[in-house]
Amino acid sequence: MRRDLILVLALMLLPSGAALAEDTGFYAGGDVGNSTEHFNGSTFGVNADNGGYKVAVGLRPLPVLAAELDYVGFGRASAGVNFADTYGVSASALAFLPLPIVDVYGRLGVMEWRTDANSPGFSFHRTGSDLTYGVGAGAHWGAFAARLEYERFQVAGASTMQLATAGITYTIGWPF
């Protein structure tokens, strides 16, 4: 009985490894979705629930592991005539569960961010490096993949900085 269970589990994982193997190599893509920003009133007191985006390049050397570099734009947070634009570059490690048909993954990284805040007669810029983490799921068809992702960013002065996106990637494969 136990041997049969191990055999069934091994056979279930074989197709997932074969399917995910198509997705190894260099990839590039983009995501668009909803950005939520809430800055503390003590800093600047602006909020947003609007469009955000992410442009990504990555390397997936193994079916269960990838490294990704992203440019992230959160859109404009505003309150009356005051507004703040936040954007940044993040580097993350992605760990995938070896499941058939879908890719389910977690993300952990760091983002180098910049916030440009403006109001009539007053402006300031803040920069920093902070933690980013998230989860995602996707599926691929040959070199093309679609993914849904939720990511949180720890940005100093912001009580909430998150991005929920849908996107596509194209895997270039290995040049050698």
Side-chain angles (χ1 to χ4, degrees):
M1 175 77 171
R2 185 175 180 195
R3 188 173 12 148
D4 293 338
L5 181 59
I6 292 171
L7 180 61
V8 168
L9 288 173
L11 289 173
M12 285 173 49
L13 292 176
L14 277 176
S16 69
L20 289 173
E22 297 173 359
D23 210 21
T24 58
F26 294 97
Y27 64 91
D31 300 73
V32 294
N34 184 53
S35 165
T36 303
E37 306 168 71
H38 297 288
F39 287 89
N40 302 328
S42 62
T43 359
F44 200 55
V46 292
N47 300 299
D49 190 13
N50 56 19
Y53 64 93
K54 183 165 48 170
V55 178
V57 293
L59 171 63
R60 191 169 175 181
L62 302 170
V64 295
L65 185 65
E68 190 170 290
L69 187 63
D70 301 312
Y71 179 82
V72 182
F74 292 98
R76 178 163 284 181
S78 61
V81 294
N82 302 328
F83 65 89
D85 297 316
T86 302
Y87 50 91
V89 175
S90 69
S92 302
L94 284 68
F96 295 81
L97 293 175
L99 300 173
I101 303 171
V102 297
D103 289 337
V104 176
Y105 59 92
R107 164 190 297 273
L108 181 63
V110 65
M111 181 173 79
E112 182 75 24
W113 55 268
R114 178 181 173 109
T115 298
D116 297 323
N118 294 287
S119 67
F122 175 72
S123 68
F124 67 91
H125 310 285
R126 288 206 173 155
T127 60
S129 297
D130 288 298
L131 180 69
T132 177
Y133 54 93
V135 294
H140 58 271
W141 303 269
F144 288 96
R147 66 185 187 179
L148 298 172
E149 190 169 88
Y150 173 78
E151 196 168 0
R152 296 236 6 165
F153 303 84
Q154 302 296 317
V155 172
S159 59
T160 303
M161 188 70 68
Q162 60 191 21
L163 192 59
T165 58
I168 58 168
T169 62
Y170 180 77
T171 301
I172 299 158
W174 299 101
F176 43 88

